[in-house]
Amino acid sequence: MNPLTEKTLLLVVDEPHMLRLLQFALRKTGAKTLEATSGRAALNLAATQTVDLVVIDFMMPELDGFATLRELRRDPKYAKIPVIMLTSRGQLELRDTAEGLGIELFLTKPFSPAEMVQHVRRLLGADPAAS
């Protein structure tokens, strides 16, 4: 049995082409995906759904990725959820803040969809090579 078929991923990306790329790549894992194009929409989804992992872009309308994550982390069920942050910026200070918020992975765009799938599988404990 595929261990990811029971998992739900929240994709928080405001760029339509990037969102489609992530949907296509991550749905191949068997996981369900929920999509939000802003931080506010992501928080609304998280309030009504249970998600197992978040992929979030740093730069978004309304709330950036850090502000969205700070709000999400206030909910005890999301205090320790694995998070992958995407950005086109690679400055060290962003990485330090991301690590301080408990972000497991900080990926700079462009990235390989296959690499993203590997990271998701590893973070959700579905990668046999990581055991």
Side-chain angles (χ1 to χ4, degrees):
M1 180 175 139
N2 180 351
L4 293 185
T5 58
E6 311 248 333
K7 302 293 184 178
T8 301
L9 314 177
L10 176 57
L11 311 178
V12 190
V13 180
D14 65 325
E15 300 169 54
H17 68 280
M18 181 64 62
L19 186 57
R20 282 191 302 277
L21 174 74
L22 287 167
Q23 287 171 321
F24 181 75
L26 294 173
R27 285 184 180 161
K28 288 181 177 182
T29 68
K32 175 182 173 185
T33 62
L34 301 173
E35 295 81 22
T37 57
S38 71
R40 185 69 52 213
L43 294 171
N44 291 338
L45 265 175
T48 62
Q49 306 283 322
T50 299
V51 300
D52 300 291
L53 181 139
V54 176
V55 176
I56 189 167
D57 200 353
F58 171 69
M59 295 185 63
M60 290 184 302
E62 297 178 30
L63 298 171
D64 68 21
F66 289 157
T68 302
L69 184 57
R70 282 187 190 99
E71 287 295 316
L72 191 64
R73 293 276 195 225
R74 289 182 184 183
D75 183 335
K77 75 178 180 180
Y78 295 121
K80 301 282 186 193
I81 189 170
V83 176
I84 298 172
M85 180 162 278
L86 306 174
T87 185
S88 54
R89 307 163 93 188
Q91 291 94 341
L92 186 57
E93 62 273 9
L94 291 182
R95 290 179 186 273
D96 290 344
T97 302
E99 288 173 11
L101 286 168
I103 295 172
E104 282 74 14
L105 186 62
F106 195 92
L107 281 181
T108 304
K109 296 184 253 178
F111 57 87
S112 155
E115 177 186 16
M116 174 63 78
V117 167
Q118 275 186 311
H119 289 305
V120 167
R121 291 181 61 77
R122 179 182 54 79
L123 289 171
L124 292 176
D127 184 2
S131 307

